[in-house]
Amino acid sequence: MTTAAAPATGRRPHHRDRFDAVIAGGGPAGAAAAITLARAGRSVLLADAHTGPPKTSESLVPAARMLLHDLGIDPRELDRGHRPCHGVLSAWGSPHPQQVHFINDPHGHGWHLDRPAFDHLLRSHALARGALVAERTTVGRPARLPDGDWQVTLTATGARRTVRCRWLIDATGRRARIAVHCGAVRHRYDRLVAVHLRLAPDPRDGENRSLVESAPDGWWYTAPCHPTGRLVAYFTDSDLTPPALTTPEVFLDRLATAPHLAARAKGRPPHPGDVPRRCAAHTARLEPAAGEGWIAVGDAATAYDPVSSQGVLSALYTGKCAAEAVDAHLNGEHDATGRYTAQLHTTFDSYLAGHRAVHSWEERWSTHPFWQRRQHPRAPAAG
């Protein structure tokens, strides 16, 4: 367990067994919530279990600079240890790649994130602001006490302790583990999965753009990894995933059918010790996203298709906004969480409309199941 530094003047000191909020999940959403609440003078415990699939390289769009500033983080900190992202190439709807260059973006360039390093940076800021950060610690199933507090068990390697809190913040990703225990239901809109593989470093790889390339049964993505590696990922529906795609040979054979990605992967074996890994990438929404004494953030609240490039940005934004709602609620504004969930609904509905439009641009394989499902979506399924 890592303890916080002495709180700044004017802050209430932590009581080690009772907090204003316990946050389950130490990714960008949970860390943004911890930073926001700690800056407001609230006592916060951020528990990061370090479980789940390995973090992959992801891109952070230039507009995230404003959110980082709002969180008290100088965006220049990302220039150390993360590669700049100067644009996106997209072979989508056409065999010829089109480019979106960030030189025209008023916020400047984005970044190809080293996710473990980025997550650690955010948790370090939460710690510096006065939050208690518990590494490799899992938040157990919550129990509501008669006085309205929550009681949760924190489990770390070889140790368990029980704490109380006024609010629980679920930042556990698509599983929404805490919110589901509180009665919320996850609604899945598709069966999208990702199979990803890191390629061996190549010092000649100086490209600073990501690339998206559509395919008959899904789409491909590649981006540089820090310092000279490269991530490649294939996105398709779970029932359309080719057999044995998680073996390097089958994965690289399928990659060879995507000409623009294949050109960037040519002659590069997998990163030593790495194999293709599969993880969930489906669109989902939690109903409700907040309740009495709990609130969900990031993928736990709304999970977006990675083609939208909204994942990390949404995590930071919802973490910040949910924490502001919790702080306002603790100050007596009991409609604050309702405003948060209403904004989630508005944003998600706009995303769904845009998601359908983007997939309608690809007409070459409009009769294939993957593309038909997105051009004529069905009602979401619970679970």
Side-chain angles (χ1 to χ4, degrees):
M1 185 78 72
T2 305
T3 56
T9 303
R11 293 179 182 267
R12 296 189 306 276
H14 288 302
H15 188 289
R16 290 184 58 85
D17 296 316
R18 192 174 188 276
F19 300 87
D20 289 319
V22 167
I23 303 170
I35 291 169
T36 303
L37 282 169
R39 293 178 76 192
R42 301 296 180 182
S43 56
V44 185
L45 185 145
L46 174 64
D48 183 30
H50 285 279
T51 58
K55 304 300 184 184
T56 62
S57 175
E58 294 183 65
S59 296
L60 188 61
V61 296
R65 289 175 182 269
M66 295 186 296
L67 269 175
L68 293 172
H69 276 300
D70 289 345
L71 293 169
I73 300 171
D74 187 339
R76 290 176 294 183
E77 292 189 53
L78 272 66
D79 294 334
R80 301 187 298 271
H82 305 277
R83 290 178 62 162
C85 179
H86 290 291
V88 179
L89 286 170
S90 175
W92 188 286
S94 167
H96 309 293
Q98 303 297 313
Q99 176 177 257
V100 175
H101 202 293
F102 292 157
I103 195 171
N104 299 316
D105 195 300
H107 304 294
H109 66 75
W111 297 271
H112 297 293
L113 296 176
D114 176 345
R115 266 298 302 276
F118 181 66
D119 292 0
H120 177 74
L121 171 69
L122 294 175
R123 291 196 297 272
S124 297
H125 274 272
L127 181 66
R129 294 292 181 180
L132 191 68
V133 178
E135 302 279 5
R136 301 190 182 280
T137 299
T138 302
V139 176
R141 185 167 184 164
R144 201 74 188 267
L145 300 175
D147 63 1
D149 276 5
W150 293 98
Q151 179 175 284
V152 295
T153 299
L154 307 177
T155 303
T157 305
R160 299 180 69 183
R161 60 181 284 218
T162 299
V163 300
R164 293 165 59 117
C165 61
R166 301 168 71 184
W167 275 83
L168 285 168
I169 299 180
D170 188 342
T172 61
R174 281 179 167 84
R175 291 175 59 198
R177 187 170 52 84
I178 301 299
V180 168
H181 285 320
C182 296
V185 176
R186 294 285 285 166
H187 295 280
R188 292 194 308 162
Y189 288 74
D190 55 58
R191 292 174 278 183
L192 190 69
V193 296
V195 181
H196 55 88
L197 176 69
R198 287 184 304 156
L199 301 180
D202 183 347
R204 297 169 296 177
D205 187 353
E207 186 172 43
N208 53 31
R209 298 170 298 181
S210 56
L211 169 67
V212 174
E213 184 172 356
S214 57
D217 295 311
W219 54 278
W220 288 88
Y221 170 82
T222 187
C225 302
H226 182 77
T228 60
R230 177 165 288 275
L231 174 79
V232 289
Y234 181 56
F235 293 84
T236 187
D237 287 336
S238 56
D239 62 322
L240 303 177
T241 306
L245 191 61
T246 52
T247 60
E249 297 78 14
V250 173
F251 184 89
L252 293 174
D253 283 346
R254 176 56 67 104
L255 171 61
T257 66
H260 300 293
L261 265 84
R264 288 158 174 78
K266 186 176 180 180
R268 297 179 69 166
H271 192 283
D274 206 24
V275 296
R277 292 181 171 87
R278 173 171 160 161
C279 63
H282 56 270
T283 293
R285 170 159 52 184
L286 187 71
E287 292 288 353
E292 289 294 327
W294 68 269
I295 197 165
V297 298
D299 283 350
T302 51
Y304 297 110
D305 187 322
V307 77
S308 69
S309 299
Q310 293 187 46
V312 179
L313 183 69
S314 175
L316 294 172
Y317 181 72
T318 58
K320 171 181 173 292
C321 291
E324 290 172 342
V326 168
D327 180 56
H329 193 283
L330 290 171
N331 283 330
E333 297 180 39
H334 293 165
D335 62 340
T337 56
R339 295 195 300 269
Y340 168 76
T341 57
Q343 183 59 49
L344 281 183
H345 280 291
T346 300
T347 302
F348 191 81
D349 288 343
S350 297
Y351 154 78
L352 287 179
H355 184 262
R356 187 175 306 142
V358 165
H359 285 83
S360 72
W361 298 343
E362 182 51 84
E363 298 178 337
R364 290 173 292 173
W365 304 293
S366 59
T367 61
H368 288 233
F370 180 86
W371 299 97
Q372 282 190 329
R373 291 168 181 174
R374 283 147 182 84
Q375 292 168 19
H376 307 285
R378 296 181 178 180

